[in-house]
């Protein structure tokens, strides 16, 4: 048995809220949990994930390692002209 008075109170029906709506009910040590992101609205799980290009970093990376589509098209055109 668990020792008395050393464990936190267990809430078997704790509610999880996201944007003011109840998402699910779980067991937790708090009666309410407020989250910003969960699998129902996370871009990875919903399929709406976008690559954010800050200051051209992604394009610069692609150019540096030869993966840019514009560079590939230019190389193909040059090869065709030869």
């Amino acid at each position: 048995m668990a020792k008395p008075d050393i464990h936190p109170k267990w809430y078997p029906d704790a509610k999880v809220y996201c944007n003011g709506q109840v998402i699910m009910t779980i067991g937790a040590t708090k009666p309410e949990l407020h989250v910003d992101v969960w699998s129902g609205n996370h871009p990875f799980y919903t399929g709406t994930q976008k690559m954010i290009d800050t200051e051209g970093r992604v394009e610069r990376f692609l150019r540096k390692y030869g993966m840019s589509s514009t560079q590939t098209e230019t190389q193909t055109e040059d090869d065709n002209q030869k």
Side-chain angles (χ1 to χ4, degrees), residues 12-48:
D13 295 325
K15 293 183 180 10
V16 179
Y17 291 91
C18 183
N19 296 330
Q21 298 178 355
V22 176
I23 298 169
M24 64 183 91
T25 304
I26 61 169
T29 57
K30 295 183 178 186
E32 292 182 353
L33 301 169
H34 296 273
V35 297
D36 295 327
V37 179
W38 65 292
S39 62
N41 69 354
H42 192 279
F44 179 79
Y45 297 106
T46 60
T48 59

Side-chain angles (χ1 to χ4, degrees), residues 33 72-73:
L33 301 169
T72 317
E73 291 171 4

Side-chain angles (χ1 to χ4, degrees), residues 56-70:
R57 291 180 184 166
V58 173
E59 183 61 34
R60 189 171 53 219
F61 174 84
L62 294 175
R63 269 185 288 148
K64 181 177 179 180
Y65 294 102
M67 294 184 273
S68 176
S69 61
T70 56

